[in-house]
Amino acid sequence: MPQPGGPGGNVGNIVVMARVGAPHGVRGDVKLRPLSSDPATLLEARHWWIRRRTIDAAWQRCRLHGARRHGDQMIAQIDDAVTREAAATLRGAEIGVDRADLPPPGAGEWYRHDLVGMAVVTREGVTLGTVRGFAESSAHPLLDVAGDGGVDRLIPWVPEFVVAVDPMARRIDVDWQPDY
């Protein structure tokens, strides 16, 4: 089975693009919650990868039997889930694509995966920590910051708080106070 990044590739090249939700119908379809601003990118990817929600889960190539947009979600039939019960076992899994299959981000855009590990710094130059990932909320994504000194933060990923992203310096400047 092919590995992410091509032969001998690195699973670190997998970019999470969606999360599996509830079953949809009785034939094994599942709802997917896209984690990108353009869900069509996932539909256009050559291969999908799945990481199930278990302690020792590893990325595995999916067998995709079909996928389509459904409002702000997607409906897909993946792996050998041909019943509602089988589809339910996929709930909570992550769906990813190989970084090489993604188009380059546009100006002022970033893949969340690329922001992980960046320093998060206030306007005053105080380092709050490093990006651990993103958390979802009903309003907007939240920047999950592993704080220096054990103080973790969730910072709304909105222009009012995210001032600048400098990929070359691996730094995100925020309008956020250390005591928030």
Side-chain angles (χ1 to χ4, degrees):
M1 180 168 292
Q3 293 297 309
N10 180 347
V11 293
N13 290 335
I14 296 294
V15 177
V16 177
M17 298 292 288
R19 291 208 198 299
V20 178
H24 179 81
V26 296
R27 296 186 181 165
D29 290 353
V30 292
K31 294 179 183 177
L32 299 178
R33 184 170 37 97
L35 300 175
S36 69
S37 60
D38 184 10
T41 303
L42 180 58
L43 293 173
E44 295 165 3
R46 292 183 304 160
H47 304 290
W48 286 17
W49 297 82
I50 188 168
R51 181 167 53 195
R52 294 172 189 262
R53 207 174 164 158
T54 60
I55 293 172
D56 57 349
W59 286 108
Q60 297 177 332
R61 179 121 168 247
C62 288
R63 284 184 293 273
L64 178 64
H65 301 285
R68 66 187 185 281
R69 302 265 319 247
H70 184 73
D72 62 348
Q73 296 186 345
M74 298 170 65
I75 304 296
Q77 187 176 38
I78 51 180
D79 283 344
D80 295 324
V82 293
T83 66
R84 183 175 185 83
E85 292 75 22
T89 68
L90 300 175
R91 190 176 202 154
E94 296 175 315
I95 300 294
V97 299
D98 190 327
R99 171 68 187 205
D101 288 343
L102 296 174
E109 296 179 344
W110 306 272
Y111 286 113
R112 291 179 181 184
H113 178 80
D114 295 335
L115 302 176
V116 173
M118 284 190 177
V120 178
V121 181
T122 69
R123 286 180 181 249
E124 293 77 25
V126 176
T127 300
L128 298 176
T130 58
V131 176
R132 180 176 23 225
F134 283 82
E136 295 302 316
S137 76
S138 58
H140 44 260
L142 301 170
L143 189 64
D144 183 2
V145 180
D148 294 340
V151 178
D152 295 343
R153 294 173 175 85
L154 293 174
I155 301 172
W157 185 261
V158 294
E160 293 87 339
F161 300 119
V162 178
V163 177
V165 176
D166 186 344
M168 299 304 288
R170 304 276 307 144
R171 174 179 164 146
I172 299 173
D173 293 333
V174 295
D175 187 4
W176 199 260
Q177 296 303 312
D179 58 347
Y180 284 0

